[in-house]
Amino acid sequence: MVLNHQKRTFIPASKQRLANMNYNKRSGFTLLEILVVMVFIGIFATMAIPRLIKQSPDKSWVHVTYEINNLIHFARQESIATQKIYRLAIIKEKETRDILRIEVETESDEPKRPGKRLYTPAYSEYYDPTYKLPNDISVISVFKDKDNILEGQKIRKAYCHIIPQGLVEEVLIHLTRREDDGSKSKISLRMAPFMGVFSRFDGHIKSAGKKQ
């Protein structure tokens, strides 16, 4: 029987170590290359971050409408589940048009005066039923039929009630946003009572009961 022996090439250990060192040098990055990449990342970040801050979604009308509709959705769910009346409270400062907050309130009994209803801020372990509008956005008016219920009030509060059947009181809200160039952007939010959702319209539209 003839056996075929494969010829092996002997490589000295010193040459093997040198080859490994050359491979490691080729597979890595130099300090200069890393610094160049970091400089480019810093330049792009400097250009992009101010634009992202300027275009913050917190002030967009889409985001504001979304947050207010979330409050309504929460209030409807809780009203149906507990069979209590809930309401959306729009609270303004006394002397300015700036909104402090929009919050959900629930009815409760007055211990000292039976039969009298009180409203207290709603509480939830999984959701914060309060929304503070950004500083550049304000609520100008809240209409029920033809009346602006924010006019002539010292405390300046407006309410949108939700009953246990899931119906939401029909209201029309006018909001204004101050832009960076000094101009103003205006929208209207109109409630659909059976759907329990605010629809957004450009500009300040007139209420259904207001004279044209």
Side-chain angles (χ1 to χ4, degrees), residues 8-123:
R8 297 181 180 180
T9 303
F10 176 75
I11 301 176
S14 58
K15 290 186 177 181
Q16 184 66 42
R17 287 195 298 270
L18 182 60
N20 291 338
M21 291 175 63
N22 291 333
Y23 175 79
N24 291 335
K25 288 182 179 180
R26 290 194 301 270
S27 62
F29 294 98
T30 65
L31 179 60
L32 179 61
E33 290 172 334
I34 295 175
L35 290 176
V36 170
V37 172
M38 292 179 64
V39 168
F40 276 106
I41 293 175
I43 293 173
F44 284 122
T46 303
M47 296 171 60
I49 290 177
R51 294 183 180 181
L52 292 175
I53 295 176
K54 186 177 180 179
Q55 298 175 358
S56 173
D58 292 342
K59 295 182 181 180
S60 71
W61 288 130
V62 173
H63 182 80
V64 171
T65 306
Y66 172 80
E67 290 289 348
I68 297 176
N69 273 328
N70 274 347
L71 294 176
I72 289 291
H73 180 69
F74 168 79
R76 288 187 76 203
Q77 284 187 325
E78 294 298 311
S79 180
I80 294 172
T82 62
Q83 289 296 291
K84 291 184 178 181
I85 297 176
Y86 277 66
R87 68 184 185 184
L88 192 70
I90 302 172
I91 305 170
K92 302 184 67 174
E93 291 183 352
K94 295 181 180 180
E95 302 298 334
T96 71
R97 290 184 173 183
D98 295 332
I99 291 293
L100 289 177
R101 64 189 181 277
I102 301 177
E103 65 181 18
V104 176
E105 298 178 346
T106 179
E107 66 171 348
S108 59
D109 295 325
E110 169 60 67
K112 297 181 180 179
R113 301 175 64 182
K116 181 177 177 58
R117 297 291 183 181
L118 294 178
Y119 285 89
T120 56
Y123 170 77

Side-chain angles (χ1 to χ4, degrees), residues 102-196:
I102 301 177
E103 65 181 18
V104 176
E105 298 178 346
T106 179
E107 66 171 348
S108 59
D109 295 325
E110 169 60 67
K112 297 181 180 179
R113 301 175 64 182
K116 181 177 177 58
R117 297 291 183 181
L118 294 178
Y119 285 89
T120 56
Y123 170 77
S124 173
E125 294 182 355
Y126 62 89
Y127 176 69
D128 180 13
T130 303
Y131 173 54
K132 186 180 184 301
L133 285 173
N135 293 332
D136 293 334
I137 296 178
S138 59
V139 171
I140 302 302
S141 54
V142 179
F143 286 95
K144 290 184 180 180
D145 292 329
K146 63 180 181 179
D147 299 323
N148 178 10
I149 56 180
L150 285 178
E151 288 183 346
Q153 294 187 33
K154 293 182 179 180
I155 302 178
R156 298 181 67 80
K157 292 183 178 180
Y159 303 104
C160 174
H161 292 80
I162 302 96
I163 63 175
Q165 289 75 19
L167 294 177
V168 183
E169 188 174 15
E170 186 173 4
V171 296
L172 175 66
I173 304 175
H174 289 167
L175 299 99
T176 299
R177 181 181 64 206
R178 294 189 300 271
E179 305 293 357
D180 294 336
D181 60 1
S183 63
K184 292 183 177 181
S185 174
K186 301 177 181 180
I187 66 162
S188 300
L189 297 180
R190 173 177 283 171
M191 170 55 62
F194 292 97
M195 298 295 294

